[in-house]
């Protein structure tokens, strides 16, 4: 009886070892990618002066604000045009959230 339990345990150990090796390879690959990104950012930082960086960040922030404003405006129109459907959808989401987070 004890030998029948050993085989699944050994198989599980091999699976865990394989997964560990695979994860180690993925971590090493991610480290290389992170190093490459860091290097690229450092090169970018060196090539741009502070003024250019500030202008680029400001430009992107304005573009992001316009996009968010447009999306909020679109959402507002949808809510005004379909108040019952919006209320039903919000109620459904609230009920689902209550069911998911109600774990005793």
């Amino acid at each position: 009886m004890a030998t029948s339990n050993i085989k699944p345990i050994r198989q599980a150990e091999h699976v865990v070892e394989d997964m560990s090796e695979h994860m180690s390879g993925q971590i090493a690959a991610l480290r290389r990618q992170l190093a490459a990104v860091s290097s690229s950012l450092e090169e970018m930082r060196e090539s741009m002066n502070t003024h250019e960086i500030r202008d680029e960040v400001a430009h992107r922030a304005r573009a992001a604000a316009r996009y968010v404003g447009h999306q909020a405006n679109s959402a507002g129109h949808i809510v005004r045009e379909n108040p019952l459907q919006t209320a039903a959808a919000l109620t459904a989401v609230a009920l689902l959230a209550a069911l998911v987070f109600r774990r005793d």
Side-chain angles (χ1 to χ4, degrees):
M1 179 133 178
T3 58
S4 65
N5 290 334
I6 293 173
K7 188 175 182 180
I9 291 171
R10 285 190 180 149
Q11 289 174 340
E13 288 173 348
H14 290 299
V15 168
V16 169
E17 288 173 7
D18 290 343
M19 288 174 59
S20 177
E21 290 174 10
H22 180 68
M23 292 296 287
S24 294
Q26 286 184 333
I27 290 170
L30 286 171
R31 283 184 179 154
R32 286 189 299 272
Q33 289 175 352
L34 183 58
V37 168
S38 294
S39 176
S40 295
L41 287 174
E42 182 63 24
E43 289 174 9
M44 183 187 301
R45 185 190 66 80
E46 290 173 357
S47 69
M48 296 178 79
N49 65 32
T50 307
H51 180 72
E52 290 173 329
I53 292 172
R54 187 191 66 209
D55 289 347
E56 181 66 22
V57 169
H59 172 72
R60 289 178 186 251
R62 283 191 298 272
R66 279 193 302 271
Y67 177 77
V68 169
H70 177 70
Q71 294 301 321
N73 192 20
S74 296
H77 284 298
I78 291 171
V79 169
R80 283 190 294 276
E81 291 173 2
N82 305 302
L84 294 177
Q85 292 88 344
T86 302
L90 291 174
T91 302
V93 168
L95 288 173
L96 288 173
L99 289 173
V100 168
F101 292 113
R102 185 180 169 235
R103 300 253 173 159
D104 294 334

